[in-house]
Amino acid sequence: MSVQQRNTPRASIAPAQTRRSAGLSRGRLGKGLIAFGVVAATGVALAGPASLLRELRARFEAPRSARIERTQPAIPAQSARLAQIAAARRRITGDTSSAQLSEIPMNLTYVDITRAPYTRFRTWVDNAVNGSPGYAYEARDSALMFRITRDVKYCNHAVALVEQQVAQAETAIAAGQRPAVAADSYLEVGPKIADLAMTYDTCAARVTASQRQRWSAYAEQAIWNVWNHQNARWGTTSHPWSGWSVANPGNNYHYSFIEATMSWALASRNATWMSLLQTDKLPKLEAYYRAMPTGGSLEGTGYGTAQMRLFELYRMWKDATGIDLANANTHATNTIRWWTHATVPTRDRFAPIGDQSRNSVPELYDYHRRLVLEARHLTNDATAQRIASWWLNGISIQQMGQGANFRYDLLPAGSNGVAPAELHYNGTGTGHLFARTGWDTGAMWLSYVAGKYNESHAHQDQGAFTLFAGDWLAVTENIWSRSGIQQGTDVHNMLRFERSNTSAQQCASPANDRIVHQCEPSTSTMTVTPGANGALTVVSDLTPAYKGNPALSAWTRRLDFAARRLTVRDHFTMAAGTTAFFQVQVPVQPTISGNTITAGRLRVRVLEPANATIALRNWNTVNSSEFTRGWRIDIGGGTTTYLVELSEVP
């Protein structure tokens, strides 16, 4: 799969909007909604993989006809807990049928039918059932409404939608083509198969024997093709594909693959897929995020919001098996802290780290709200829950704007929230630092990058900072681009090293094929030392980001952040023929007076070298088809060091 194929943005989220496709590569995160909507723990305590598989097989391998008829759980030891779940479910739904015990458990106890979010969701579903589906409507919305109300019209609608998906796939397969589920390297396999699985399980009584057979064959082939990419086929036709990210638990594509496998494994009671999840895919997923204990994503803040899907996978798995992946390590809990600190003081925007393909300007959106709602619902950490409530009740997005996201507003935001006690957060797992002078909306805020660089949606921004106070003071030029995927060193607030008028590239792992200069996994480092009244000193070694690059052999950067002022000192060692520029990206045209540059409310003073040169670059004149606004300040003349101070204009 080519670089362009993986990263070209899709059409807008809705005709009335200018937002580009959401955070999944060329796909909308809104499509990536996990099958079972809301979840409950069964309370099943399972030990190791062997005992897990025995219990799962006992619970999930029974023929569907037997499951529909069964009124008692398969495992006597779990009867009391399952009865409690069934009772809680009946309290919400008002249903007294014993058939509920045959369904994959779903905790709807937090659904408050008296609140506005429920009314919005039900109206969204009813409109679809009545023939007017909204943008990106999915069958699982109808199936979920059946779970809540037990009104068969919702199941009838869900079955019709899934039947349409399968029939269209069968037509394509008969013509020797790939069905839509295989498009874009199986990016949409998760939401499509999850739609099928939710309906197959919830609406079993409305699915005919012929449909069950056809749907099953389609789902089985799709999932087999995901994990066997070189031998993938549809019908009698071979359709191999790249296998992009089948082995990368941190990539947004991988969530889709797990979503499809998990949702179908649970709905079909397929022991092969259950075993694959338990003995291979989920242990690798848990290990990956255990190594990122401070939360967040190495894909940045654009594609990183896909973790909202990851967290819903945790809910689904805990519901079906009793295994709590979300609290097996601290990643999900600390992602609450990570995003709270990554949000600017005005609480309407966030740190623009990595590709921003949905919307170049990093404005908070439904996906960010959903991510924190999911994490708050999952965590066992009471303090993190209160922080999440503070954030959710204070940000600019107080309810979902897209109908396809309405069901996530059913998750409560909580009350009695509290801001974090600390003024900075060092996300060591991702290499992202956030700091501020206070939790008031007028505070000055800083973000900084120095860590691992190994994802295709990450940028060559090791050593880059962002400064905000009321609005952007210094920010990556990428947010003023039309594509939102400008990754080069020339658009960030960092040192730019040039040889023969070409910017030296930072290197990434060989797995990151978007980067020309590759090396072994590149990890810059930083040491963070807090001071009094929120002051902070950061010392970072960015040399690994240029490992093996002939342009330079060393670069360290120190940041001192205190009293609404940022001072940056750089030390570097360059090869002959290399020139270093201290660059600052600003939203408005700067003016120069001696060694001082003013750009709107930002003042930049060059303290070293004494003979520095200062030049300005208008990005719009460089490439008006890509850049809508923004200027770059180029400070030159330094051969081994720069010392620059950034502050507000009084």
Side-chain angles (χ1 to χ4, degrees):
M1 172 168 44
S2 70
V3 170
Q4 184 177 4
Q5 283 179 320
R6 269 203 314 281
N7 296 282
T8 303
R10 268 192 196 162
S12 61
I13 283 186
Q17 294 183 319
T18 58
R19 298 179 182 276
R20 279 181 303 283
S21 170
L24 290 177
S25 300
R26 297 198 294 127
R28 57 183 182 276
L29 287 177
K31 273 295 274 187
L33 308 177
I34 308 302
F36 302 112
V38 285
V39 184
T42 61
V44 180
L46 302 179
S51 63
L52 170 69
L53 286 175
R54 285 194 297 272
E55 294 231 10
L56 290 179
R57 286 169 179 159
R59 295 183 63 188
F60 298 132
E61 284 185 4
R64 175 161 291 272
S65 59
R67 286 190 291 111
I68 293 173
E69 296 170 359
R70 189 170 65 235
T71 59
Q72 295 298 324
I75 303 172
Q78 299 169 14
S79 297
R81 179 56 178 155
L82 289 175
Q84 290 174 351
I85 294 170
R89 196 180 300 119
R90 287 193 291 271
R91 285 196 298 273
I92 291 297
T93 65
D95 181 55
T96 58
S97 70
S98 60
Q100 284 183 312
L101 285 176
S102 69
E103 296 171 350
I104 298 171
M106 182 179 295
N107 180 8
L108 302 178
T109 56
Y110 59 81
V111 177
D112 186 346
I113 62 175
T114 67
R115 292 178 61 238
Y118 174 78
T119 302
R120 283 198 305 272
F121 177 62
R122 182 161 189 165
T123 300
W124 162 257
V125 177
D126 285 344
N127 287 341
V129 171
N130 293 330
S132 300
Y135 177 78
Y137 189 86
E138 296 180 313
R140 75 190 82 182
D141 279 343
S142 296
L144 177 58
M145 186 54 73
F146 172 77
R147 287 271 190 148
I148 297 171
T149 67
R150 294 292 156 173
D151 189 330
V152 296
K153 71 180 181 183
Y154 297 118
C155 263
N156 291 339
H157 186 246
V159 170
L161 291 178
V162 174
E163 174 60 26
Q164 182 181 48
Q165 178 193 161
V166 176
Q168 289 175 346
E170 289 170 336
T171 299
I173 294 167
Q177 301 170 355
R178 292 181 175 92
V181 74
D184 196 2
S185 299
Y186 287 82
L187 175 61
E188 302 284 353
V189 69
K192 287 184 180 296
I193 299 303
D195 251 16
L196 182 154
M198 174 67 160
T199 305
Y200 185 97
D201 177 76
T202 295
C203 303
R206 320 298 295 183
V207 181
T208 68
S210 173
Q211 285 175 320
R212 286 198 297 273
Q213 184 178 29
R214 291 170 44 245
W215 293 11
S216 178
Y218 164 67
E220 288 285 335
Q221 190 64 58
I223 296 167
W224 192 90
N225 285 351
V226 164
W227 304 117
N228 298 274
H229 63 278
Q230 293 177 329
N231 299 312
R233 62 190 310 107
W234 288 101
T236 59
T237 306
S238 177
H239 286 291
W241 63 287
S242 69
W244 173 254
S245 287
V246 294
N248 181 2
N251 187 276
N252 61 83
Y253 274 74
H254 198 80
Y255 308 151
S256 187
F257 305 155
I258 297 294
E259 176 183 7
T261 308
M262 183 182 292
S263 61
W264 178 243
L266 294 173
S268 66
R269 281 56 172 175
N270 183 304
T272 297
W273 300 130
M274 295 298 289
S275 178
L276 178 70
L277 289 168
Q278 176 60 22
T279 64
D280 183 20
K281 302 306 176 184
L282 295 184
K284 289 176 180 176
L285 188 77
E286 196 278 326
Y288 178 91
Y289 285 106
R290 182 175 292 277
M292 294 177 59
T294 53
S297 170
L298 287 167
E299 290 195 290
T301 53
Y303 286 82
T305 54
Q307 287 181 347
M308 66 187 185
R309 302 176 61 188
L310 171 69
F311 295 163
E312 193 174 11
L313 286 168
Y314 291 167
R315 291 200 288 133
M316 187 197 310
W317 192 244
K318 182 179 179 182
D319 175 36
T321 70
I323 297 174
D324 188 353
L325 293 172
N327 291 289
N329 57 66
T330 60
H331 175 267
T333 292
N334 282 333
T335 292
I336 293 171
R337 296 179 170 91
W338 195 100
W339 270 102
T340 300
H341 284 270
T343 303
V344 303
T346 51
R347 302 181 208 167
D348 57 352
R349 284 161 283 181
F350 55 89
I353 302 172
D355 286 348
Q356 305 291 328
S357 71
R358 181 187 61 81
N359 184 3
S360 298
V361 179
E363 299 167 327
L364 288 174
Y365 182 60
D366 288 5
Y367 302 149
H368 307 90
R369 183 171 186 83
R370 176 188 162 190
L371 186 152
V372 177
L373 280 169
E374 296 276 11
R376 180 189 177 278
H377 187 75
L378 288 167
T379 184
N380 292 332
D381 185 322
T383 300
Q385 285 183 328
R386 289 193 293 272
I387 292 172
S389 293
W390 178 85
W391 186 88
L392 288 162
N393 291 318
I395 60 172
S396 57
I397 305 300
Q398 285 296 292
Q399 66 180 44
M400 302 297 179
Q402 285 285 310
N405 299 320
F406 282 175
R407 67 175 170 269
Y408 298 104
D409 267 339
L410 298 175
L411 292 166
S415 57
N416 300 319
V418 60
E422 68 282 353
L423 294 177
H424 80 279
Y425 190 75
N426 185 8
T428 55
T430 58
H432 300 143
L433 169 72
F434 310 107
R436 65 187 66 215
T437 58
W439 286 102
D440 57 292
T441 57
M444 179 176 279
W445 172 93
L446 166 75
S447 74
Y448 184 63
V449 180
K452 188 176 292 185
Y453 176 34
N454 65 349
E455 285 289 347
S456 64
H457 293 296
H459 284 196
Q460 298 179 62
D461 60 355
Q462 298 297 309
F465 63 84
T466 301
L467 201 60
F468 184 100
D471 204 342
W472 304 112
L473 300 180
V475 62
T476 171
E477 177 60 23
N478 184 54
I479 79 169
W480 310 126
S481 70
R482 299 183 193 279
S483 68
I485 58 174
Q486 291 292 328
Q487 296 192 344
T489 60
D490 56 337
V491 300
H492 297 291
N493 296 318
M494 54 189 294
L495 288 191
R496 183 178 81 256
F497 298 97
E498 287 192 355
R499 286 169 67 87
S500 302
N501 296 319
T502 301
S503 298
Q505 292 190 336
Q506 295 185 348
C507 67
S509 164
N512 185 345
D513 63 2
R514 290 185 65 183
I515 307 303
V516 175
H517 178 52
Q518 296 180 343
C519 62
E520 291 305 312
S522 166
T523 304
S524 300
T525 60
M526 62 175 152
T527 301
V528 179
T529 305
N533 301 318
L536 205 67
T537 295
V538 183
V539 177
S540 56
D541 181 5
L542 293 315
T543 306
Y546 291 92
K547 184 177 180 180
N549 195 310
L552 68 156
S553 57
W555 175 28
T556 61
R557 168 164 274 194
R558 171 174 170 154
L559 280 65
D560 289 286
F561 182 59
R564 304 181 75 91
R565 177 168 298 155
L566 174 65
T567 304
V568 183
R569 178 181 288 277
D570 291 297
H571 291 285
F572 47 93
T573 303
M574 301 182 295
T578 302
T579 304
F581 295 92
F582 187 110
Q583 59 187 28
V584 183
Q585 319 284 342
V586 294
V588 298
Q589 182 174 358
T591 59
I592 303 172
S593 178
N595 70 337
T596 301
I597 309 105
T598 303
R601 294 181 53 246
L602 176 68
R603 172 178 292 160
V604 181
R605 287 202 309 143
V606 183
L607 305 179
E608 294 180 21
N611 60 344
T613 62
I614 302 172
L616 305 177
R617 178 170 183 164
N618 183 345
W619 280 104
N620 187 249
T621 61
V622 172
N623 186 349
S624 60
S625 64
E626 172 65 350
F627 298 107
T628 60
R629 58 183 287 198
W631 291 71
R632 189 177 75 198
I633 302 169
D634 283 340
I635 301 169
T639 56
T640 60
T641 189
Y642 280 106
L643 180 60
V644 178
E645 178 190 271
L646 300 93
S647 61
E648 295 171 282
V649 174

